[in-house]
Amino acid sequence: MTLQNYYFEEIDETLYTAKLKNGLTLYIIPKENYVEKTAIMTVSFGSLDSKLTSEQNTNELPEGIAHFLEHKLFEDKYSGDLSILFTENGAESNAYTTFDRTSYYFSSANHFSKNLKLLQRMMVDTYFTPKSINRERDIITQEIDMYQDDADYQAYQGILSNLFPDSILSVDIAGTKQTISIIDQNNLEFAHQRYYHPSNLTLVLVGDIDPMIYYHEVTQYQKQLAENKQKLKIERNIEYHPVITSRTIQMDVAMPKLMVGYRQIKNHNLKTPLKNKIALRLLFAMLFGWTSKTYQEWYQDKKIDDSFDIEIEIQKEFQFIIISSDTMEPIALSSSIHKKIKLFKESSDLSEEHLKTVKREMYGDFLRSFDSVEQLANQFVNYLSDEEHYFDIPKYIRELTFDMIINIGEEYFTEADSSDFTVFPK
């Protein structure tokens, strides 16, 4: 497939894309006059992928293996730590694992082609030995231990465990000490061979670069790397059990931490997850955003502080909303949140005029993301699916009417289950 381009007049941006012969998907976003360039390689393999199903059989993978692979791919048989090589080439590199993907990226002002080849090579050149695996296991174990004393982390994992009990979503992305103890060379190689196929990889390039030049560079380099691996069809089946309505723990905190969560039913037929997410973000911006009367009243009464946050996760496999805040009145605040949501259509904060305000704010945040090539690349990857991508956001902001937003909110909360998780001081 040749390189295709799509011009988005509303934001004056052009997106170049191609599907290479080996299956890799390439996106290029040119940004003239930017000194820094960024590349991010993403594999559709995250913490949810602990079970690999094919036509022949089902293979169980240890929880945390995607995160373990993220660490291991920075190790090279000949060069040692690849992050050092990136640094020597004048680049900053890093990686992260989420529920459904693992992303590796670098940013550099110079030697972009050299670093880009290194990024592509590390996806296929692996170095797994018992000694290096044990060393990495110790590092990840320390990472897991560190988070056990983090109250914010415990609160977040607590509400996910309430919303999705006994499912893979209730397990930390890094796994547990028990699950990573059984990760070995065999299952690392097996997971890498199955998931790190080019057809399961997406490469995004952002910066002052010539699209055709880098399209040909990537195409030529991928020809060298293409391997005859079995192509993978990813299916994620998250088990849904009754929600745990409330739990509390005690930790060394100065102020209680409240998490209020809402879990929607499964909706594999959801055609536009991003559009629904934007609609719910606009709805919650009106209900609880800083421009709402509710937020201002709660803030002035010291029921909430600057930690107040709303996370909205809308995917075909799972959907949840989490409202969180440090508060001296967790029980009262929880009651207020649940009441506001139950009667959200009656809120005085919902109006056509307020919607215009939060739309302008969201659109401004979208435009500001273009000020940083690294932020733009990461946002593009985070919002990427087969049907939608990051550049669709302005269109959705424009198209979503007040009535559409109210209807999407009503549909969500009519079928949603709720839960609370609170961290109290010892």
Side-chain angles (χ1 to χ4, degrees):
M1 178 179 177
T2 58
L3 189 66
Q4 297 182 328
N5 67 84
Y6 303 90
Y7 177 65
F8 297 84
E9 184 176 4
E10 185 172 354
I11 56 176
D12 191 26
E13 296 288 344
T14 303
L15 175 66
Y16 294 80
T17 182
K19 189 86 168 180
L20 305 191
K21 286 185 178 181
N22 66 357
L24 182 140
T25 302
L26 173 67
Y27 292 98
I28 301 175
I29 306 173
K31 298 296 296 178
E32 292 184 4
N33 303 318
Y34 279 66
V35 175
E36 189 178 37
K37 304 177 183 69
T38 289
I40 179 166
M41 182 78 83
T42 296
V43 55
S44 295
F45 182 40
S47 64
L48 300 182
D49 302 304
S50 61
K51 191 177 292 186
L52 194 152
T53 303
S54 64
E55 294 180 0
Q56 291 77 26
N57 51 27
T58 297
N59 296 95
E60 299 283 347
L61 298 172
E63 293 163 355
I65 193 168
H67 176 259
F68 207 109
L69 264 176
E70 174 209 316
H71 281 236
K72 287 299 296 165
L73 259 61
F74 275 95
E75 190 170 2
D76 179 76
K77 181 178 181 180
Y78 305 102
S79 310
D81 188 346
L82 292 181
S83 61
I84 296 177
L85 275 186
F86 278 113
T87 301
E88 291 175 349
N89 293 338
E92 293 183 2
S93 62
N94 212 330
Y96 58 89
T97 304
T98 66
F99 295 127
D100 61 343
R101 71 179 73 92
T102 306
S103 295
Y104 305 81
Y105 63 94
F106 74 85
S107 295
S108 67
N110 302 302
H111 308 297
F112 186 71
S113 293
K114 190 175 182 179
N115 286 311
L116 182 57
K117 289 177 182 178
L118 179 57
L119 179 67
Q120 294 174 85
R121 178 166 68 85
M122 68 185 285
M123 295 299 105
V124 294
D125 285 353
T126 59
Y127 180 61
F128 305 133
T129 65
K131 183 178 179 181
S132 68
I133 291 170
N134 287 333
R135 182 172 62 246
E136 203 61 56
R137 184 182 292 112
D138 290 341
I139 294 171
I140 296 174
T141 298
Q142 292 174 21
E143 186 178 324
I144 292 172
D145 284 338
M146 179 182 67
Y147 283 120
Q148 298 310 306
D149 295 326
D150 188 319
D152 290 314
Y153 165 86
Q154 290 296 334
Y156 185 74
Q157 280 303 124
I159 193 63
L160 281 182
S161 296
N162 279 8
L163 295 173
F164 300 92
D166 300 318
S167 82
I168 188 64
L169 271 170
S170 67
V171 180
D172 181 73
I173 287 172
T176 66
K177 290 182 182 180
Q178 182 178 1
T179 62
I180 68 169
S181 70
I182 60 175
I183 292 177
D184 58 21
Q185 184 173 346
N186 289 332
N187 48 44
L188 282 171
E189 289 177 346
F190 177 82
H192 182 268
Q193 289 171 2
R194 294 301 187 275
Y195 282 99
Y196 280 72
H197 187 280
S199 63
N200 203 35
L201 292 170
T202 300
L203 175 61
V204 178
L205 311 180
V206 184
D208 193 351
I209 54 182
D210 186 308
M212 287 304 299
I213 289 176
Y214 280 95
Y215 164 68
H216 288 300
E217 276 196 21
V218 172
T219 300
Q220 291 302 313
Y221 198 73
Q222 285 295 313
K223 285 180 181 178
Q224 303 173 38
L225 299 180
E227 298 180 12
N228 294 321
K229 297 178 183 177
Q230 178 184 351
K231 290 186 178 181
L232 179 71
K233 181 181 180 181
I234 295 179
E235 294 182 1
R236 298 183 174 107
N237 184 25
I238 298 171
E239 296 181 356
Y240 274 53
H241 303 287
V243 162
I244 299 171
T245 56
S246 182
R247 274 196 304 145
T248 64
I249 61 172
Q250 290 183 314
M251 295 185 69
D252 288 325
V253 293
M255 184 184 299
K257 294 180 180 292
L258 172 68
M259 295 272 176
V260 175
Y262 286 83
R263 182 192 79 180
Q264 173 63 290
I265 61 173
K266 282 186 180 181
N267 190 355
H268 290 288
N269 296 319
L270 183 62
K271 301 298 183 184
T272 53
L274 176 56
K275 186 174 184 177
N276 280 46
K277 182 173 183 175
I278 297 302
L280 288 169
R281 281 181 58 190
L282 290 168
L283 175 62
F284 272 79
M286 286 190 286
L287 290 172
F288 300 115
W290 72 274
T291 57
S292 70
K293 299 171 188 172
T294 296
Y295 180 94
Q296 295 299 328
E297 289 173 2
W298 287 353
Y299 194 87
Q300 289 172 12
D301 294 341
K302 298 185 178 179
K303 290 182 178 180
I304 61 173
D305 59 17
D306 292 335
S307 66
F308 186 82
D309 189 42
I310 300 170
E311 178 181 350
I312 300 175
E313 192 69 52
I314 305 295
Q315 299 194 29
K316 291 182 179 181
E317 297 88 355
F318 61 93
Q319 302 177 30
F320 64 80
I321 297 172
I322 297 174
I323 304 169
S324 60
S325 184
D326 292 354
T327 175
M328 293 304 295
E329 304 177 31
I331 297 174
L333 180 59
S334 167
S335 177
S336 296
I337 290 172
H338 286 296
K339 184 177 180 180
K340 289 282 185 182
I341 289 177
K342 184 178 181 180
L343 304 174
F344 81 91
K345 292 174 68 176
E346 301 176 14
S347 173
S348 60
D349 281 311
L350 296 184
S351 68
E352 295 275 5
E353 195 61 34
H354 196 188
L355 177 59
K356 291 179 183 178
T357 299
V358 297
K359 277 189 172 186
R360 285 194 294 268
E361 183 180 12
M362 184 180 291
Y363 189 71
D365 289 341
F366 172 82
L367 292 180
R368 279 190 289 275
S369 69
F370 286 78
D371 293 340
S372 164
V373 294
E374 187 173 313
Q375 182 183 359
L376 177 56
N378 277 282
Q379 289 288 77
F380 191 86
V381 166
N382 291 340
Y383 286 92
L384 189 60
S385 70
D386 292 336
E387 300 88 3
E388 304 167 297
H389 55 70
Y390 190 56
F391 286 6
D392 287 324
I393 290 180
K395 177 184 68 174
Y396 290 153
I397 293 174
R398 183 180 66 254
E399 292 178 351
L400 283 164
T401 65
F402 183 81
D403 288 340
M404 290 168 65
I405 291 168
I406 298 303
N407 289 337
I408 289 172
E410 189 171 27
E411 181 181 350
Y412 185 94
F413 289 111
T414 298
E415 300 175 324
D417 295 310
S418 64
S419 176
D420 287 8
F421 188 91
T422 311
V423 180
F424 284 104
K426 282 185 177 181

